[in-house]
Amino acid sequence: MQERALLQSFWHSRVKEAEPAADISTDRIFTSIFEDYYSRIFNYTAYRVSCRYTAEDLTSQVFEKTWSRLHSYSPDKAPFEVWLFAIARNVVSDHYRSRKRNLFFPLEAVRELVSGKKTPDEQLLEGERNNRLGMALDALSAKERNIVALKFGADLKNTEIASLTGMSESNVGVILYRSMKKLKAEIGSVEQL
């Protein structure tokens, strides 16, 4: 959180006031943005698409668009995170529009995200858990999946999700509550996962 506040402060002091060396400052700002937000943007896109490689491509597109539009960002209109995740949401939506498919929460992507250097038994159990989680996530509507991805993939607060989606904060909370209830009904308890 402190890093985000520093980024906002850095943004105000360097870009908004248009220092003479704005190009160099923009490079530094973009580097900070990339380092701070890459994993959250990747997690968000991985929750929404069917494979890790697609998520990596979409994440790259998000940062390309961020770079090209960085000069147009205005902190007066929306917090930086909301602006950045709006770009991510639009990139994912464009991806699905271009493919004319409606797949969300890929099992392979979720499995790849959580796998590391584990024993074959651990990988097998984790794969089964991820498959169950993926099937449970398929029970959610597209709107619910997007909200869950923004909350748990992108690690956004309810206020930020509300600002990004145009819904009220209480509506976001209700959708999250109902989504978690549906997931619990599909999976059972976390211990059963």
Side-chain angles (χ1 to χ4, degrees):
M1 291 305 261
Q2 189 175 13
E3 293 170 355
R4 294 179 199 164
L6 289 174
L7 181 63
Q8 290 289 347
S9 172
F10 188 73
W11 182 271
H12 276 283
S13 66
R14 298 289 180 174
V15 176
K16 190 172 180 183
E17 295 172 5
E19 288 186 354
D23 291 339
I24 294 170
S25 297
T26 303
D27 289 345
R28 285 184 25 208
I29 290 170
F30 183 75
T31 302
S32 295
I33 292 167
F34 185 82
E35 291 172 355
D36 291 346
Y37 290 98
Y38 179 83
S39 63
R40 292 174 61 200
I41 294 291
F42 175 78
N43 288 341
Y44 172 74
T45 57
Y47 267 81
R48 301 278 318 272
V49 298
S50 60
C51 85
R52 177 189 179 108
Y53 304 110
T54 304
E56 289 174 350
D57 288 344
L58 294 176
T59 302
S60 295
Q61 289 177 29
V62 169
F63 283 103
E64 284 176 24
K65 288 189 178 196
T66 301
W67 173 255
S68 68
R69 297 176 184 167
L70 200 55
H71 67 282
S72 67
Y73 169 69
S74 172
D76 300 332
K77 293 181 181 174
F80 182 76
E81 284 186 353
V82 171
W83 182 76
L84 183 62
F85 281 98
I87 291 173
R89 183 186 62 183
N90 291 338
V91 166
V92 172
S93 295
D94 290 346
H95 167 73
Y96 279 110
R97 253 185 252 121
S98 70
R99 294 185 63 188
K100 297 190 181 206
R101 288 182 20 189
N102 197 17
L103 299 174
F104 294 97
F105 291 102
L107 302 178
E108 289 299 317
V110 173
R111 185 180 316 142
E112 289 174 10
L113 280 174
V114 296
S115 70
K117 295 186 178 189
K118 298 179 180 175
T119 66
D121 290 342
E122 290 172 332
Q123 288 179 346
L124 179 66
L125 289 173
E126 195 156 305
E128 288 177 11
R129 270 182 272 168
N130 290 337
N131 286 340
R132 288 187 62 203
L133 179 61
M135 290 187 328
L137 290 170
D138 284 341
L140 301 178
S141 70
K143 183 178 182 181
E144 292 168 333
R145 281 180 254 169
N146 187 43
I147 299 290
V148 168
L150 289 170
K151 180 71 176 182
F152 300 107
D155 197 28
L156 293 179
K157 297 176 197 165
N158 289 4
T159 54
E160 294 168 326
I161 296 170
S163 179
L164 182 63
T165 59
M167 294 188 286
S168 69
E169 185 179 348
S170 62
N171 194 11
V172 169
V174 168
I175 291 171
L176 279 170
Y177 174 77
R178 290 180 182 161
S179 299
M180 293 301 105
K181 199 171 177 178
K182 282 183 183 178
L183 289 174
K184 186 176 179 182
E186 291 289 324
I187 296 170
S189 68
V190 173
E191 292 80 30
Q192 292 174 334
L193 186 61

